[in-house]
Amino acid sequence: THCGFIPENLTDPAYPPVVEAIGEVARYCADRGLGFWFETGQETPVVLLRTIQRIGLGNFGINLDPANLLMYGKANPIDALDILGPYVRNIHVKDGLYPTDGDRLGREVPVGQGKVDFPRLIARLGEIGFDGDYIIEREIGGEQQIRDIQRTIADLHRWGVATG
């Protein structure tokens, strides 16, 4: 889930109640044997790590969306693995560009046409022992979406990721 912009500043008056609310939901999940996974994008990797550590439950995970990290201007996805690597449970295979306008997010683009270096990202995931799922996400519709997904499947094979 996206938790909705966890404050970066620990002294922000909104920080404690936001973390408390996340903890309440995460405990509810833990009591039922469920994981609670953050999707990257709206927070820096350090803010997500801090939140995981402050709440201190064992059911946390990360859905690494490398394009979101770029499009929100929060991190380079390969560098983010140095911080969040042990928690990464699955990957959104999506590409994007950094924002170039202070009022708008960066753009999503077809995989291979943005700033995500997928061959390096996949290699780094292998180095940290990632064995989760790669989930193709292309947030458009119609025939172009189908073509982009088919091309991404071929790219994943070329980069050494088994699909099926």
Side-chain angles (χ1 to χ4, degrees):
T1 188
H2 288 287
C3 288
F5 298 100
I6 302 167
E8 290 187 33
N9 185 340
L10 296 172
T11 64
D12 184 323
Y15 181 78
V18 167
V19 172
E20 182 179 325
I22 294 168
E24 183 178 330
V25 175
R27 277 187 293 285
Y28 180 89
C29 292
D31 290 346
R32 286 154 182 78
L34 302 172
F36 185 96
W37 296 0
F38 297 93
E39 181 171 344
T40 58
Q42 297 166 329
E43 296 83 19
T44 64
V46 171
V47 169
L48 290 178
L49 179 63
R50 178 185 306 136
T51 303
I52 289 168
Q53 291 174 336
R54 294 208 183 245
I55 296 170
L57 298 173
N59 65 329
F60 285 115
I62 297 289
N63 162 234
L64 183 74
D65 188 319
N68 281 355
L69 286 169
L70 294 167
M71 291 164 48
Y72 281 91
K74 295 298 183 175
N76 175 299
I78 297 166
D79 295 338
L81 290 174
D82 290 341
I83 299 165
L84 298 173
Y87 297 98
V88 174
R89 303 293 179 258
N90 63 28
I91 307 296
H92 275 175
V93 182
K94 182 171 96 179
D95 210 342
L97 302 169
Y98 283 113
T100 57
D101 174 334
D103 293 326
R104 291 177 177 51
L105 293 177
R107 278 186 315 114
E108 180 200 2
V109 296
V111 169
Q113 295 181 23
K115 293 289 185 179
V116 178
D117 184 342
F118 277 99
R120 278 189 57 218
L121 181 69
I122 291 165
R124 181 71 180 110
L125 287 163
E127 290 169 8
I128 65 172
F130 173 75
D131 65 354
D133 294 320
Y134 289 84
I135 302 164
I136 298 171
E137 182 178 37
R138 183 68 172 115
E139 296 182 16
I140 62 171
E143 292 299 316
Q144 186 62 50
Q145 180 190 45
I146 293 167
R147 284 191 298 274
D148 290 352
I149 290 171
Q150 289 170 334
R151 186 174 330 120
T152 300
I153 292 169
D155 286 341
L156 287 169
H157 283 245
R158 192 165 42 85
W159 298 327
V161 175
T163 60

